[in-house]
Amino acid sequence: MNLVWKKSDFDATMGVFFDGFTKVVIAVGVLLSLLPKEIIFGKVMSGLGVSVLGLHIYYWYLGEKMKKSTGDNSYVAIPGGVSAYRFFIYLFAIFFVALGNDTPETALKVTVMANLLGSIVFILGAWIVPFLMKILPGESIFGALAGAALAFLGINVINGSVVTMPLIGIVSSFIIFIIYLGNIKTKLPAVLIAIVFGTILGWAGVFLGFTPEKVLSISVLKDSFNTIGFYLPKLSFDFLNIEILRKTMPFLPVIIAFGIGDVVNVILGLGQAKAVGHNYNEKTVIISTGIFSLLSAFLGNPFPFTIFFGYNTWKEIDAGTGYSLATGFIYLVLGLTGSFAVISSLIPIASVGGILVFIALVSIAQTFASSDTKYYSALSMALIIPVFEVISNMMGKSVMDLAPNLLPLAQGSTITAILWTAGLVFIIDNNWKNAGLTFLAAAASSFIGLIHAGDIMLFANVQYTVIYLIIAAILFILNFGYKGEVK
């Protein structure tokens, strides 16, 4: 196996690093106000850094192994890290809810236990989810992928990163778009150019008075150096007791639902690799990612791992496997030195959002390019559904007052997008039987709370269960009584 570094690996390193780093920054900002830095940096962040390094070394090894076994040197290391899909749930729906009844230290232990249990669910999903997805049309999988890219890498990143400082974010984004979409050859990586330009622009604004303090601040940058030190990770078993397990049990439905949902996201992400002819073994990737996530809990990490979308983008720009090692070692250095706060204070997040938006653009374009035009309407539905989850997350608790009917569509949006798109594909093909079976599956999913509900339970959402049963009945009637021609 060779340590090969390409110029485009820098872009992949920055893209994958900042994809996960944005979540880490949020975690550090939240936890610093509640826990001593010895716990945050000496336990959580150091454990996270070591665990992410291990994950990325494995992804590098897997990529090199695929190169050797297939003879195809264009294989790219799988991008991955802290799961955005579960990060916000674990932080706000588990940690903060537990915090309402216990100390911050206990709430952290509960969240670490949630990571352990969620990782077990995730590993088991390697057998359960792929079986279910084999009976679904490919358009439903790739459509949901495009929808997730639009929602979580497009809308979410533009809102949470790019337009936090439009002058920095939009200009930096279009530097990336101009270089990549305009096929401009540069000696330096596009993302590096965008970050340097955005950072210079941002700090110029600090001295000239047009960069808000919430974006960049000299005082915040100075204070961030107080967190620097040397923090060795330690094995942690203090969360392994009956009391912490008892306090974690009320969150089990959420842990199960989002663990299974994240397995779907992994399969969707690996679908991007398949679309460019790279066939990683789904079960191997899911199980290994789950194992690294599980092991990270014993180093104090409360946030589960997954793979990221964007494989096809890194393949398109000719990245390789070397970027995975670079990303892992960056996390290691920042985790062991407590430097996460310094980097987040020095580089404006707005300057790096463009690469994630670019990933969304490429993912959506490739989904439509690889599909028959007759399925475009079904694919369009797949783009719509995940947007509801992003809107709901943005609105927070106010969604119940301002848009209560939106919330059920936001809950389990990835699974909903797959089911609705699959149903529409079968309808387009006049395959009424499979369409009916798809909506029966949707009814069952709604009944137990996989979709349209916040918890796993029986009778989770009776209204949507009835809706799907009615649609299924109509489709079964058509199956026995209508013999139309396939378009």
Side-chain angles (χ1 to χ4, degrees), residues 164-460:
T164 54
M165 180 58 180
L167 180 62
I168 299 171
I170 295 177
V171 172
S172 297
S173 295
F174 270 86
I175 288 175
I176 293 172
F177 299 160
I178 289 167
I179 292 173
Y180 280 142
L181 298 178
N183 292 315
I184 295 176
K185 305 298 181 183
T186 59
K187 291 184 178 180
L188 295 175
V191 176
L192 177 61
I193 296 172
I195 290 175
V196 171
F197 189 89
T199 301
I200 292 173
L201 195 60
W203 282 105
V206 169
F207 294 104
L208 296 176
F210 61 77
T211 298
E213 279 197 17
K214 65 179 182 180
V215 176
L216 291 174
S217 166
I218 294 176
S219 61
V220 171
L221 179 60
K222 287 181 179 178
D223 291 342
S224 69
F225 283 91
N226 295 330
T227 67
I228 290 181
F230 186 66
Y231 306 92
L232 282 174
K234 302 178 182 67
L235 283 174
S236 176
F237 302 99
D238 57 354
F239 67 97
L240 289 177
N241 60 71
I242 298 299
E243 182 63 18
I244 295 299
L245 181 61
R246 183 186 65 79
K247 292 176 183 291
T248 310
M249 282 299 101
F251 303 108
L252 190 58
V254 173
I255 293 169
I256 292 173
F258 281 87
I260 293 297
D262 219 353
V263 173
V264 174
N265 287 335
V266 170
I267 294 173
L268 293 177
L270 291 178
Q272 291 184 316
K274 287 184 179 179
V276 295
H278 291 177
N279 296 302
Y280 281 96
N281 184 281
E282 292 175 351
K283 188 176 292 184
T284 298
V285 174
I286 295 167
I287 293 172
S288 57
T289 303
I291 289 173
F292 277 101
S293 186
L294 185 151
L295 293 175
S296 76
F298 293 101
L299 292 175
N301 172 44
F303 305 118
F305 300 151
T306 190
I307 75 167
F308 297 157
F309 295 143
Y311 187 98
N312 51 344
T313 304
W314 307 132
K315 166 67 168 58
E316 184 171 307
I317 67 171
D318 193 35
T321 57
Y323 86 86
S324 190
L325 293 178
T327 303
F329 277 105
I330 291 173
Y331 270 98
L332 177 69
V333 172
L334 296 182
L336 296 184
T337 61
S339 303
F340 280 110
V342 177
I343 299 299
S344 65
S345 302
L346 179 64
I347 299 175
I349 294 298
S351 68
V352 298
I355 187 60
L356 302 180
V357 177
F358 178 70
I359 292 172
L361 297 178
V362 172
S363 298
I364 295 168
Q366 290 193 348
T367 296
F368 280 88
S370 62
S371 301
D372 193 310
T373 55
K374 70 177 181 178
Y375 298 124
Y376 280 7
S377 55
L379 292 174
S380 298
M381 179 61 76
L383 294 180
I384 294 171
I385 300 299
V387 173
F388 294 131
E389 184 170 342
V390 172
I391 295 173
S392 176
N393 291 340
M394 290 178 181
M395 296 175 71
K397 293 181 179 179
S398 63
V399 69
M400 291 302 297
D401 299 321
L402 301 176
N405 297 324
L406 185 74
L407 187 58
L409 290 173
Q411 294 166 324
S413 66
T414 301
I415 299 174
T416 302
I418 290 173
L419 291 170
W420 282 30
T421 306
L424 288 176
V425 168
F426 288 135
I427 288 169
I428 291 169
D429 288 338
N430 286 179
N431 189 337
W432 309 115
K433 178 183 177 181
N434 282 358
L437 291 172
T438 300
F439 282 99
L440 281 182
S445 299
S446 179
F447 184 75
I448 64 174
L450 275 178
I451 57 176
H452 311 314
D455 295 317
I456 299 292
M457 64 175 74
L458 296 179
F459 303 98

